DNA sequence: ACTTAGCACTCCTGTCATATGAGTGCTAAG
DNA sequence: CTTAGCACTCATATGACAGGAGTGCTAAGT
């Protein structure tokens, strides 16, 4: 029993109808709405075969069929037609990036908000992570007699700065010396590579400035920690409640239980393929509480370096074609903008 | 018909029982659980009076009573006994601030998380706002030949820094000149006070550095915008779903519809009284969709300057005594810590 | 005058039986 | 191979009904 053209048409009809209505799809409704030129009885036979193949399933005997996880997978891989955004939608997205104030923070926030309005799904956005970025330079800049600004720059163009209080009796000279030592030891390394050993050798070399060094190390640690703990934004939690599958409180609780856990969202996004839009369906997400969801995601980059990703999380029944179109367009435009002229 | 002692006891019993169980409270259950020394019939008479006074109400004829908004208000103002945290809870809170890495961001995040675990309510935290802070200094520090770091410091100790690309042919001298002009014009002003007029006079004075100035103004604008748009954090959305009132999807939708709107949360917190813990009950919040909620909030400060506030949003039926104790303790400790030795 | 036992009354909630209708699977004829 | 026809299944809606919680009122007790 192969999957002939007609079976494909039937499967396609089932998937698309179910995506549109959230209801099980009956043979009769397919015969009516999709002109396949056969009667409902024939479609019933095909459906019976599709069920045996595991592509669709029946919630109960006297209900229509809904696509199974593999049904969606088959649809996404082989049946789905590309969708593209309307010019108006593209305009809306462009307007995110057209604004004058181009602080990265701002762009990210507006990106989330816009995508949120464009879909009824949950928008996940992972923030540029320092973790994989190599350090380019550390600067300790004098601000006032007793305060300095420590600036940490990475190869990807990321800049983090923190104010530190200086111990009394600190000369500009010794500050410069510290700066030099730090740069010599840390340059080119990623944060996780700055090991205890390296820290110790720095300590040895700057034994006299122990006190200040402690503060600086505290900051490095803090920056590290911040960038390990943060970096996921989320929008559209309200949106997703519009979907009929969340008219039941248990589903909402289940959803809420994991969207507040940043580490989980991060791990979901981390599986994004860096070269193309990734679609994870149901158990493919590999996280039990999300087994009834799907994620469409893609990475974005600054000057060729992947810095984060954007994903849409929705019910398995999500409109994949549209989600893919949106994600594709937004990551493209975002990468382009970030690579051009962003203020950090 | 005055509110005699016994009526107060009955009201107190009703409020506390309803807070504990979320169920309407019957005369009989009061007679049983609270030793008032009278029968349920007597309590019924008192309840009838309390209802006429508008302090309690009846969901339907054959149900018990629940406190009305004014009932809660009366309870909070006159009947409620102060609650205090256990030493263990205080320890948990202290541990937020005990950690070495004291980046403000980090402290804020951990504060939210901790309070989230301590209660079943939604935690709102407003981030230090630049809006009311006077500018102390603007610095433009050379980083690389074609990049500078612009640092904006406020009187409250807040520091914001951004990298800007320099137009070619920029000398350290002209940078310094710009810095001086900016400081002369902006120092001591709050962001909203930097008006078009002032901006124009700066433009006039620095006509030659038009290009760079445009960028700098872009940044000032961006910082302004960021700090108008951001600054609310939220935690515990999942928590609040544990409350029995949210076993109904409509209530959840209602809640979600406004907790995603930062401007609304901000306006809710903005009503916080700067000198004491504020309790807003139901319609007192003055925002229709939140008419069934209550908010307990207080401000926190850095060195005496109010910089933000923390609030707990829960059903009207929330445990006010506990909420107040938590908010009081956390804002106190937070202010203290932030005023001491925080890295920005 | 206040308290309280007793009882009628209200109204919510859960259960059960029944009817309805959508949808399938199968059979037999085209 | 297709399809009309029909029996069968099962979710859902409806209404009747009982049970129970709680009140309000009355009348008797203190």
């Amino acid at each position: 029993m192969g999957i002939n053209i007609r079976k494909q048409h039937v499967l396609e009809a089932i998937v698309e109808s179910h995506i549109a209505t959230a209801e099980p799809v009956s043979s009769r409704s397919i015969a009516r709405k999709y002109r396949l030129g056969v009667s409902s009885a024939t479609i019933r036979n095909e459906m019976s075969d599709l069920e045996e193949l595991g592509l669709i399933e029946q919630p109960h005997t006297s209900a229509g069929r809904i696509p199974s996880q593999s049904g969606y997978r088959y649809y996404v891989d082989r049946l789905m037609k590309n969708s593209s955004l309307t010019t108006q939608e593209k305009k809306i997205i462009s307007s995110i990036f057209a604004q004058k104030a181009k602080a990265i923070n701002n762009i990210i926030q507006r990106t989330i908000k816009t995508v949120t309005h464009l879909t009824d799904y949950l928008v996940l956005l992972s923030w540029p992570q320092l973790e994989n970025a190599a350090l380019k330079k550390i600067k300790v800049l004098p601000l006032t007699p007793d305060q300095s600004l420590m600036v940490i720059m990475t190869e990807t163009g990321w800049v983090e700065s923190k104010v530190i209080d200086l111990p009394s009796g600190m000369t500009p000279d010794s500050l410069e010396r510290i700066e030099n030592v730090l740069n010599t030891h840390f340059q080119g390394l990623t944060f996780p590579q700055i090991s205890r050993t390296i820290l110790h050798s720095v300590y040895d070399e700057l034994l006299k400035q122990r006190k200040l060094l402690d503060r600086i190390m505290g900051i490095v640690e803090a920056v590290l920690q911040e960038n390990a703990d943060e970096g996921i934004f989320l929008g559209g939690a309200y949106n997703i409640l519009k979907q009929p599958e969340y008219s039941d409180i248990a589903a909402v609780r289940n959803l809420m239980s994991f969207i507040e856990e940043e580490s989980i969202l991060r791990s979901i996004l981390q599986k994004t393929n860096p070269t193309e839009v990734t679609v994870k369906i149901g158990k493919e997400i590999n996280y039990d509480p999300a087994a009834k969801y799907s994620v469409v995601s893609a990475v974005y980059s600054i000057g060729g370096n992947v810095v984060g990703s954007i994903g849409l999380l929705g019910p398995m029944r999500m409109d994949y074609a549209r989600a893919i179109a949106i994600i594709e367009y937004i990551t493209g435009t975002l990468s382009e903008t970030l690579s051009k002229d962003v203020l950090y």
Side-chain angles (χ1 to χ4, degrees), chain A:
Chain A
M1 173 176 55
I3 302 188
N4 58 28
I5 296 278
R6 196 170 63 194
K7 277 194 182 51
Q8 294 194 348
H9 284 323
V10 172
L11 178 57
E12 189 179 349
I14 292 174
V15 173
E16 292 186 352
S17 170
H18 186 64
I19 284 177
T21 65
E23 298 294 324
V25 184
S26 75
S27 55
R28 193 152 164 271
S29 74
I30 293 181
R32 235 186 300 121
K33 281 190 281 182
Y34 300 78
R35 318 220 120 277
L36 300 185
V38 291
S39 77
S40 67
T42 308
I43 293 172
R44 267 203 294 289
N45 289 330
E46 298 287 29
M47 283 166 97
S48 180
D49 291 353
L50 285 169
E51 181 162 11
E52 208 167 316
L53 289 164
L55 296 171
I56 59 179
E57 45 199 33
Q58 225 175 348
H60 56 86
T61 341
S62 68
R65 303 301 211 294
I66 57 173
S68 69
Q69 178 180 318
S70 13
Y72 284 118
R73 172 50 65 196
Y74 191 96
Y75 170 79
V76 168
D77 289 346
R78 318 245 231 134
L79 307 177
M80 184 179 63
K81 285 169 202 73
N82 275 357
S83 163
S84 64
L85 303 180
T86 65
T87 19
Q88 210 214 331
E89 288 171 329
K90 288 186 182 175
K91 246 185 217 161
I92 292 174
I93 293 177
S94 301
S95 75
I96 307 174
F97 307 110
Q99 285 202 30
K100 230 185 177 178
K102 287 191 176 158
I104 191 169
N105 233 310
N106 225 293
I107 291 183
I108 298 284
Q109 294 293 349
R110 270 184 283 140
T111 302
I112 291 181
K113 213 159 229 175
T114 308
V115 181
T116 290
H117 286 301
L118 244 41
T119 72
D120 283 345
Y121 308 119
L122 200 74
V123 184
L124 312 180
L125 196 153
S126 82
W127 178 262
Q129 296 277 315
L130 282 192
E131 206 174 315
N132 308 308
L135 277 179
K136 190 174 166 189
K137 204 161 211 173
I138 293 176
K139 284 218 158 208
V140 184
L141 303 164
L143 282 184
T144 65
D146 55 348
Q147 283 194 320
S148 258
L149 187 75
M150 178 166 166
V151 185
I152 301 170
M153 283 174 278
T154 69
E155 298 285 359
T156 50
W158 185 257
V159 177
E160 185 86 29
S161 59
K162 300 273 166 185
V163 177
I164 40 178
D165 292 325
L166 299 176
S168 58
M170 205 70 215
T171 65
D173 260 16
S174 53
L175 269 185
E176 202 172 319
R177 192 172 132 63
I178 288 178
E179 192 180 296
N180 282 336
V181 173
L182 289 178
N183 275 315
T184 318
H185 283 85
F186 293 165
Q187 200 161 49
L189 296 180
T190 67
F191 277 98
Q193 285 171 339
I194 300 175
S195 63
R196 295 257 157 254
T197 338
I198 295 175
L199 284 179
H200 272 242
S201 67
V202 173
Y203 264 101
D204 287 347
E205 205 162 324
L206 290 170
L207 212 55
K208 289 165 207 156
Q209 274 87 21
R210 182 91 201 194
K211 214 167 171 183
L212 176 60
L213 204 57
D214 269 342
R215 292 210 185 145
I216 290 181
M217 285 307 140
I219 291 177
V220 172
E221 216 174 288
V223 169
L224 257 167
Q225 200 179 318
E226 247 175 64
N227 284 277
D229 283 2
E230 289 178 32
I232 285 275
F233 288 105
L234 184 145
Y238 173 59
N239 260 334
I240 207 173
L241 293 183
K242 289 180 198 156
Q243 305 284 355
E245 23 273 283
Y246 306 100
S247 54
D248 155 42
I249 191 74
V252 177
R253 289 226 170 98
N254 164 260
L255 178 65
M256 293 292 154
S257 73
F258 69 86
I259 65 174
E260 268 203 353
E261 212 45 71
E262 291 197 350
S263 59
I264 290 164
L265 299 181
R266 203 172 309 119
S267 78
I268 288 175
L269 274 185
Q270 251 158 19
K271 285 167 203 149
T272 305
N273 186 320
T275 58
E276 57 181 356
V277 178
T278 307
V279 179
K280 292 275 178 198
I281 302 171
K283 291 184 180 152
E284 292 171 11
I285 298 173
N286 221 345
Y287 174 63
D288 268 10
K292 290 188 166 180
Y293 295 84
S294 287
V295 179
V296 173
S297 62
V299 302
Y300 63 96
S301 47
I302 298 180
N305 296 301
V306 171
V307 288
S309 37
I310 305 179
L312 292 175
L313 185 143
M316 263 209 261
R317 184 190 66 74
M318 74 194 285
D319 186 342
Y320 294 98
R322 184 174 163 76
I324 291 171
I326 289 176
I327 287 295
E328 201 155 42
Y329 191 77
I330 206 103
T331 49
T333 323
L334 185 59
S335 298
E336 204 181 297
T337 311
L338 290 180
S339 301
K340 262 192 306 185
D341 52 352
V342 168
L343 312 170
Y344 297 99

